[in-house]
Amino acid sequence: GRSMVSLLAGGDEQLYPSDHPFGFELFGMQGLRQGDWKISTINKPFGTARWQLFNLAEDPGEIHDLAAREPQRLAAMVEAWQQYAQRSGIILPDKPLFGAGAEKMVPR
């Protein structure tokens, strides 16, 4: 992380530059935001189980997946997510948490 002292004292307007990658993971769902761009992947049955790319400035509802149209941007952002995951020690589940096969992960 970074110190917030200068930000809180009014010396800086932001803690990170707007194009700084910000990664996240929750229950096997993964994503990364960088500037106006976002990648995410959500396992089936709720998602496509593949990386999707969105321009949030033009599509804040994340309706139009631009992965096929912007393969280089997608690849760079997936690489940034992988670096984030490695730095953060992310451990992804080896079985789906939702949908087919998920019932095997719930203790009875």
Side-chain angles (χ1 to χ4, degrees):
R2 293 188 179 180
S3 172
M4 295 180 64
V5 171
S6 182
L7 179 71
L8 295 173
D12 291 328
E13 292 184 17
Q14 58 188 32
L15 191 56
Y16 291 95
S18 61
D19 63 344
H20 182 81
F22 171 80
F24 54 92
E25 182 276 335
L26 181 65
F27 303 120
M29 297 174 275
Q30 306 153 50
L32 182 119
R33 170 107 189 242
Q34 188 170 27
D36 290 337
W37 294 90
K38 178 184 174 185
I39 59 169
S40 63
T41 181
I42 301 172
N43 289 330
K44 292 180 180 182
F46 302 108
T48 63
R50 63 178 175 75
W51 285 106
Q52 296 180 291
L53 174 69
F54 303 99
N55 182 325
L56 299 178
E58 297 175 6
D59 180 20
E62 300 178 26
I63 304 297
H64 306 287
D65 179 8
L66 303 175
R69 192 165 54 172
E70 298 265 358
Q72 292 175 328
R73 183 182 305 273
L74 176 66
M77 291 184 73
V78 169
E79 174 64 26
W81 189 90
Q82 291 169 339
Q83 291 172 7
Y84 152 77
Q86 185 176 18
R87 280 191 319 271
S88 302
I90 301 290
I91 300 172
L92 296 173
D94 58 354
K95 296 178 183 171
L97 297 176
F98 308 107
E103 64 279 356
K104 296 175 186 169
M105 295 197 60
V106 177
R108 299 203 185 256

